[in-house]
Amino acid sequence: MNILLVLKTCLQIGVQIFLKLFNNNFRLIRGFCFSDEDKLHKISNKLVMAVSGESGDTSQFAEYIAKNIQLYKMRNGYELSPSAAANFTRRNLAEYLRSRTPYNVNLLLAGFDEQAGPELFFMDYLASMVKIPYAAHGYGGYFSLSIMDRYHNADMSEEEGYEVMKKCVQEAHRRLIVNLPNFKVQIINKDGIKDMPDITAKSIAIEEHGRS
Amino acid sequence: MATLIGRKRTSLTEKPTGWKAMVGVRGTDVVVLGVEKKSVAKLQEERTVRKICLLDDHVVMAFAGLTADARILINRAQIECQSHKLTVEDPVTLEYITRYIAGLKQKYTQSNGRRPFGISCLLAGFDYDGVPHLYQTEPSGIYYEWKANATGRSAKTVREFLEKYYSSEAVSTEKGTVKLAIRALLEVVQSGRKNLEIAVMRRGEPMQMLDADKIEEYVTEIEKEKEEEAEKKKQKK
């Protein structure tokens, strides 16, 4: 399988928006305005990190890791592999965990390695890390993991993967009490990072209508 | 003021003559850096001797002098490039990173127990707004911007050559700029074409090191032009 983990993206964003929405409500009451943030950080040419958690920590940590990965590339002339980058990230999280200023972030790191193929790493705020075929963070995950359990297999194509993502989003729309209409999707393969069409409530509704 | 650097006595303001020749030319759309490569011993692996290095995607540096000293400076500069991007979200401007390196060099001329960095650098690249720049720094910590410059061995000869042949038309194309740089280097390089390392920096694109065949092409073209010029001169007489 040479596609990667469009899967993870979906739910990550789900959570982020969920948290943000709640904050947003409070903020609206207080009169603050809410700007949108790209939660999918490009770490290097074939590495993407989706971060969720404490706002501020997320972008701070993601940017810090991204620049360190760039520094490695400049110093050594070649990029860090996805698993090396993931382990570096995890070590950073772990070191800050037992300090006065831990990072409260959950993340999914996806990358494509020339030898090992596509890889997905799941990391949480306690600096635990695991390499898995599909993952989710947050409340959206409670529904989506079962969907992915059922439909995922190791030799899926790009289109099939996108379809499973759509199914997960539909499930979140159906079951989750919070309204999360829009999802951003990215795919990483041997050619690098590419944006896929957003999965929005509107696009799903149009499709359903078209089918019926 | 003279300081002892290794076995060489060098003045902070006088450019050391034992170092390899190096040239930089700023064109309208490209900046070219060229260095004279030290001839590699038969049993030595060539790729470990690199005098042109990337500080960031848009900044390239060539140095002449003590390679070990350069390593330290390059390391600090690379960290500073990323740190700058992290704090202000913008890539460094050429002037900023030159000032940083120059400032670092100056520190070592004014503290106890330390000796100055024994290298002269040429920094080239494009700012975020697309304007090309070429800067030079010296062990004393001063920096200048140049349209075209040379340091290292026979710098004076090369600079005079550049002053004679540099014009905005000559460097308006990439080919013209590269040719000018190679011609300037060929004036002083002893072993000729085999020992040139040329780096081309284009706006918005990663640095490209010209491979040996490409350099060969340019050199043959230059030699042909030289012959034609010599012929014309003979005919005039």
Side-chain angles (χ1 to χ4, degrees):
Chain A
M1 172 171 91
N2 70 343
I3 63 159
L4 201 22
L5 296 324
V6 168
L7 262 357
K8 53 119 172 179
T9 323
C10 165
L11 286 321
Q12 192 73 338
I13 294 194
V15 171
Q16 191 71 349
I17 296 181
F18 172 71
L19 289 176
K20 279 209 146 95
L21 267 180
F22 263 42
N23 288 338
N24 197 23
N25 283 333
F26 289 125
R27 282 192 187 146
L28 274 177
I29 292 171
R30 290 182 199 156
F32 291 152
C33 76
F34 175 69
S35 62
D36 74 349
E37 190 192 323
D38 194 3
K39 288 130 212 122
L40 296 176
H41 290 96
K42 179 180 159 187
I43 303 290
S44 77
N45 283 336
K46 298 202 178 142
L47 262 178
V48 174
M49 185 157 83
V51 211
S52 78
E54 181 122 16
S55 71
D57 278 3
T58 51
S59 44
Q60 180 79 338
F61 188 70
E63 284 174 15
Y64 174 72
I65 296 294
K67 296 301 181 271
N68 270 288
I69 306 280
Q70 289 299 311
L71 182 62
Y72 185 95
K73 184 175 108 180
M74 288 300 148
R75 269 204 186 129
N76 302 289
Y78 57 88
E79 288 186 354
L80 267 175
S81 67
S83 88
N87 279 291
F88 169 74
T89 310
R90 192 211 77 80
R91 180 150 289 274
N92 252 285
L93 263 176
E95 273 168 13
Y96 276 98
L97 183 63
R98 281 175 199 267
S99 71
R100 282 181 308 106
T101 57
Y103 282 108
N104 195 355
V105 293
N106 301 308
L107 47 104
L108 293 173
L109 191 73
F112 191 88
D113 189 24
E114 300 297 316
Q115 280 85 33
E119 292 183 314
L120 175 67
F121 296 90
F122 170 102
M123 246 174 285
D124 75 355
Y125 70 102
L126 294 172
S128 63
M129 184 177 88
V130 70
K131 176 163 160 259
I132 34 178
Y134 54 86
H137 270 301
Y139 295 101
Y142 286 119
F143 309 109
S144 322
L145 276 173
S146 325
I147 302 278
M148 292 194 278
D149 276 337
R150 164 74 179 84
Y151 288 107
H152 177 274
N153 55 17
D155 16 62
M156 292 173 86
S157 70
E158 210 177 285
E159 295 77 27
E160 285 169 344
Y162 192 71
E163 284 305 308
V164 177
M165 283 301 251
K166 263 199 270 183
K167 283 198 172 63
C168 294
V169 174
Q170 271 177 299
E171 203 57 26
H173 285 167
R174 200 174 295 136
R175 304 257 174 213
L176 196 59
I177 52 167
V178 188
N179 178 33
L180 303 170
N182 307 321
F183 289 81
K184 181 160 184 257
V185 186
Q186 276 182 352
I187 183 167
I188 303 117
N189 55 17
K190 62 174 168 45
D191 305 317
I193 304 167
K194 199 177 74 172
D195 275 328
M196 299 211 76
D198 293 347
I199 303 176
T200 63
K202 200 169 173 192
S203 69
I204 293 179
I206 293 174
E207 231 184 279
E208 291 285 293
H209 187 80
R211 240 183 278 163
S212 58
Chain B
M1 185 173 125
T3 43
L4 266 169
I5 297 181
R7 283 178 292 136
K8 301 187 179 114
R9 263 196 106 92
T10 44
S11 153
L12 281 178
T13 48
E14 175 194 296
K15 283 165 203 98
T17 48
W19 299 349
K20 293 293 156 198
M22 185 168 75
V23 79
V25 182
R26 182 186 87 194
T28 348
D29 297 315
V30 292
V31 195
V32 179
L33 286 179
V35 282
E36 176 195 356
K37 246 188 330 196
K38 196 169 76 159
S39 36
V40 175
K42 239 177 27 177
L43 293 174
Q44 195 175 42
E45 291 271 17
E46 199 183 319
R47 59 181 172 79
T48 54
V49 188
R50 273 269 110 96
K51 289 208 140 97
I52 300 184
C53 41
L54 270 177
L55 296 185
D56 201 353
D57 295 319
H58 63 295
V59 185
V60 67
M61 173 170 124
F63 60 90
L66 303 173
T67 316
D69 284 1
R71 257 205 323 267
I72 307 293
L73 269 181
I74 290 168
N75 208 19
R76 298 286 294 270
Q78 284 172 338
I79 294 176
E80 180 60 23
C81 284
Q82 296 305 318
S83 181
H84 187 271
K85 268 206 274 205
L86 184 61
T87 47
V88 306
E89 284 268 326
D90 274 337
V92 292
T93 58
L94 262 286
E95 209 245 331
Y96 178 91
I97 196 68
T98 312
R99 221 171 338 123
Y100 177 81
I101 293 177
L104 201 51
K105 285 184 174 176
Q106 193 278 339
K107 265 201 205 108
Y108 281 68
T109 67
Q110 217 181 5
S111 42
N112 42 356
R114 303 201 260 197
R115 64 160 177 80
F117 286 98
I119 59 168
S120 221
C121 314
L122 277 181
L123 285 115
F126 286 85
D127 280 348
Y128 199 58
D129 57 6
V131 180
H133 293 281
L134 173 69
Y135 283 93
Q136 180 205 18
T137 63
E138 283 175 15
S140 57
I142 45 176
Y143 66 94
Y144 298 114
E145 183 168 7
W146 293 83
K147 292 187 191 137
N149 191 21
T151 50
R153 199 159 50 80
S154 319
K156 203 145 170 264
T157 329
V158 186
R159 202 173 306 121
E160 277 166 9
F161 175 89
L162 284 171
E163 279 174 13
K164 196 164 153 205
Y165 286 95
Y166 181 94
S167 71
S168 9
E169 299 89 50
V171 299
S172 55
T173 65
E174 177 185 323
K175 205 158 175 230
T177 321
V178 179
K179 233 203 284 190
L180 182 61
I182 296 183
R183 269 183 82 177
L185 261 183
L186 281 176
E187 295 279 309
V188 294
V189 158
Q190 295 160 325
S191 19
R193 63 195 60 184
K194 288 285 176 342
N195 284 14
L196 295 181
E197 211 172 288
I198 310 282
V200 178
M201 201 70 205
R202 291 182 197 91
R203 188 178 291 119
E205 283 182 40
M207 173 193 83
Q208 188 204 12
M209 298 288 295
L210 292 185
D211 52 347
D213 306 319
K214 207 79 206 327
I215 300 180
E216 191 65 34
E217 261 181 56
Y218 278 107
V219 172
T220 357
E221 215 179 295
I222 289 169
E223 286 185 346
K224 212 170 59 166
E225 280 176 12
K226 272 198 198 156
E227 275 176 28
E228 285 171 7
E229 259 183 58
E231 278 292 312
K232 272 196 213 150
K233 278 204 185 132
K234 265 198 230 160
Q235 283 179 359
K236 266 195 195 160
K237 282 192 192 150

